[in-house]
Amino acid sequence: MPATTVRPLTPDDASAYRALRLAGIAELPAAFCTTHAAESGLPLAQIAQRLRATFHQIIFGVFNEKQLIAIAGLRREPIAIVHDKASLWGVYVAPQARGRGAGRQLVQAAIAHACAIPELGRVRLAVAQDNHAALSLYLSCGFVLADSCASDGMLQLQLLLPRPARASASASADSNVFMKINTLQIPAK
């Protein structure tokens, strides 16, 4: 396979992104949180808008020369109480590119991007428990089983990002969460 490049996708990549995402949904429908009909019905302009990197989301692509062969998104949680978490989503590698490092390049690009955001402490993802290649990749990149329960054949994995001050910040955040929960008023029925 010729040299590949990894970069954030832009609105100019909308057609290639749509084609590869639809191929992924057709091949592995359970791995995506949408249907082929819903995704194929989206206007190209809406897909282009999705590819604009924002404070909360970025989508990476791996290119073999000019052909998009793999995609993955990283989405940060916008809610203040969980803003230290991000999700790796929509990971798909074209069949002809599998086993050649494209998936690893994507995951490593997402992790590097997440590490550059000081307030992020963890990256989460869901993977089908029977998708052995993906599970092996994620585990080899440092992800571990999360405490949350799996559902419908999916496993929840997480990667704690290296943060020197995480221990003291976590203790402080935990006490703030406790205080917020402790002062919550629930009306009687």
Side-chain angles (χ1 to χ4, degrees):
M1 185 162 94
T4 58
T5 57
V6 180
R7 66 168 173 80
L9 296 179
T10 69
D12 292 339
D13 300 309
S15 292
Y17 173 78
R18 170 191 259 170
L20 190 57
R21 184 162 165 81
L22 287 173
I25 294 167
E27 180 186 356
L28 303 164
F32 291 85
C33 296
T34 189
T35 65
H36 195 277
E39 193 76 13
S40 63
L42 294 176
L44 194 58
Q46 188 174 346
I47 293 171
Q49 185 63 33
R50 182 190 295 172
L51 295 179
R52 289 188 192 284
T54 69
F55 185 70
H56 292 288
Q57 178 170 282
I58 189 167
I59 300 174
F60 293 95
V62 177
F63 290 83
N64 179 356
E65 296 181 10
K66 293 186 180 194
Q67 183 183 6
L68 182 62
I69 58 170
I71 52 176
L74 183 71
R75 181 179 301 125
R76 294 182 57 196
E77 298 293 341
I79 302 168
I81 196 77
V82 291
H83 77 279
D84 64 325
K85 297 171 183 69
S87 297
L88 186 63
W89 63 275
V91 179
Y92 181 71
V93 178
Q96 74 274 14
R98 293 181 188 155
R100 299 181 177 180
R104 181 170 304 283
Q105 287 179 290
L106 277 174
V107 173
Q108 289 173 339
I111 291 169
H113 183 81
C115 285
I117 302 170
E119 58 268 22
L120 279 182
R122 73 184 69 213
V123 175
R124 304 177 298 183
L125 62 85
V127 61
Q129 63 188 20
D130 63 351
N131 189 340
H132 302 293
L135 186 56
S136 177
L137 168 65
Y138 298 137
L139 293 173
S140 73
C141 287
F143 284 84
V144 297
L145 282 172
D147 293 335
S148 58
C149 297
S151 63
D152 296 330
M154 300 298 284
L155 297 174
Q156 302 294 320
L157 302 180
Q158 72 176 353
L159 172 71
L160 296 177
L161 300 175
R163 298 288 184 246
R166 182 182 306 141
S168 62
S170 176
S172 172
D174 288 344
S175 66
N176 288 341
V177 170
F178 177 74
M179 293 302 288
K180 287 179 185 174
I181 292 171
N182 220 14
T183 60
L184 181 64
Q185 299 292 321
I186 301 173
K189 291 188 177 185

